Amino acid sequence: MMKVAGNSEDKKLKKYGVNELRRMFLEFFESKGHLAMKSFSLVPHNDNSLLLINSGMAPLKPYFTGQEIPPRRRVTTCQKCIRTGDIENIGKTARHGTFFEMLGNFSFGDYFKTEAIHWSWEFLTEVVGLDPNRLYPSVYLDDDEAFDIWNKQIGVPAERIFRFGKEDNFWEHGAGPCGPCSEIYYDRGEKYGCGKPGCTVGCDCDRYMEVWNNVFTQFENDGHGNYTELKQKNIDTGMGLERLAVIVQDVDPCSV
Ligand SMILES: [Zn+2]
């Protein structure tokens, strides 16, 4: 069950640097049976759909589609990325960098939602030491399975779990594998907020920062909006290394 922080306000969060956080993440997932692979090149290989690598999963696409056999069914990486799809956010928020590194754990037809959610919580609260009372998960509107894992297994109260629609919590890029996702937000505190009434998880300001996205790849989109259930269900997660550093160091991104 959820560990209530108690007097955690008094407990100082250790200010890990990006090199420590990267190592902690990869070692954590190695301890869960993952193969740690090096970052792929920023220039995609054999992929005409992308100019630059923009996510941890992008260079692993052949493993998700079954085109290639992965070296192991559990893989973890810290992938160099260039922001492409939402490039217009750069310079407007404190959380969108041009270049960033994305931490990820991947399951190619191996574990699914239960393990992915439990491990993300374990890493953030027990390994990194984030205050559970500042963390808020979100799930896709009708993904009761993910909601129940957060609520009944992890113990996050229902009112702290947000349900968002397709724009936020359904991951897809045209044709191909896609599915609902579950994001984890961290409340950085009022000083980073916009101060507007109704500022909460999902607000565009920098108070509630999305740190990790767990994508449950369970459908195949044929490119015409027809979804079929994948035989092989996958996990694809992405956590911004620099965002995590900003949170643990409680600083503005330019000083990480
Ligand atoms: Zn706000």
Side-chain angles (χ1 to χ4, degrees):
M1 293 299 280
M2 181 175 174
K3 287 192 183 121
V4 176
N7 61 351
S8 71
E9 284 298 317
D10 307 322
K11 206 180 102 192
K12 272 274 189 211
L13 189 57
K14 194 157 180 260
K15 295 185 186 294
Y16 298 109
V18 285
N19 291 332
E20 287 172 295
L21 291 167
R22 188 193 298 108
R23 181 181 47 77
M24 286 157 70
F25 184 90
L26 295 174
E27 284 179 2
F28 176 77
F29 280 100
E30 280 183 307
S31 81
K32 308 290 186 194
H34 292 62
L35 173 68
M37 293 174 76
K38 285 215 170 86
S39 173
F40 292 79
S41 163
L42 276 172
V43 179
H45 289 287
N46 303 321
D47 185 354
N48 294 331
S49 71
L50 287 175
L51 184 63
L52 293 161
I53 293 298
N54 60 354
S55 66
M57 74 80 68
L60 304 172
K61 268 198 274 182
Y63 301 150
F64 281 108
T65 57
Q67 243 177 299
E68 284 176 36
I69 309 284
R72 202 184 291 178
R73 289 167 78 187
R74 299 179 181 191
V75 162
T76 183
T77 61
C78 182
Q79 175 64 44
K80 301 178 184 90
C81 298
I82 297 283
R83 187 170 300 281
T84 54
D86 53 351
I87 196 167
E88 70 281 358
N89 286 320
I90 295 168
K92 289 190 188 155
T93 79
R95 63 188 187 278
H96 292 92
T98 313
F99 171 85
F100 59 100
E101 291 181 65
M102 194 181 281
L103 301 163
N105 55 291
F106 307 93
S107 159
F108 309 109
D110 192 50
Y111 63 86
F112 200 47
K113 285 182 200 183
T114 306
E115 293 87 345
I117 288 176
H118 277 264
W119 289 340
S120 60
W121 189 255
E122 185 184 340
F123 181 75
L124 290 178
T125 61
E126 292 178 31
V127 180
V128 179
L130 295 183
D131 180 354
N133 292 315
R134 285 178 174 264
L135 291 168
Y136 295 82
S138 72
V139 298
Y140 180 58
L141 282 177
D142 64 2
D143 191 355
D144 293 331
E145 189 188 359
F147 185 93
D148 285 348
I149 296 169
W150 281 117
N151 182 229
K152 299 197 172 102
Q153 297 182 20
I154 306 286
V156 178
E159 65 274 14
R160 294 175 56 97
I161 307 169
F162 288 72
R163 288 183 189 257
F164 291 138
K166 241 185 158 172
E167 201 175 303
D168 293 297
N169 277 34
F170 197 92
W171 195 95
E172 68 183 331
H173 277 296
C178 58
C181 54
S182 178
E183 295 171 316
I184 304 171
Y185 291 80
Y186 182 82
D187 179 4
R188 304 190 67 209
E190 259 173 57
K191 63 179 168 176
Y192 295 103
C194 56
K196 290 179 192 151
C199 175
T200 184
V201 172
C203 184
D204 273 344
C205 74
D206 287 312
R207 174 169 176 181
Y208 296 92
M209 192 186 274
E210 182 209 330
V211 63
W212 201 343
N213 193 6
N214 277 258
V215 182
F216 313 124
T217 318
Q218 62 191 98
F219 303 111
E220 168 89 17
N221 180 351
D222 68 358
H224 305 284
N226 303 310
Y227 298 90
T228 48
E229 195 93 12
L230 285 171
K231 264 191 262 131
Q232 177 186 294
K233 295 190 171 83
N234 307 298
I235 289 294
D236 154 27
T237 88
M239 171 154 64
L241 174 64
E242 295 81 0
R243 286 192 190 184
L244 183 61
V246 158
I247 285 170
V248 303
Q249 297 175 23
D250 192 22
V251 291
D252 280 324
C254 50
S255 50
V256 172

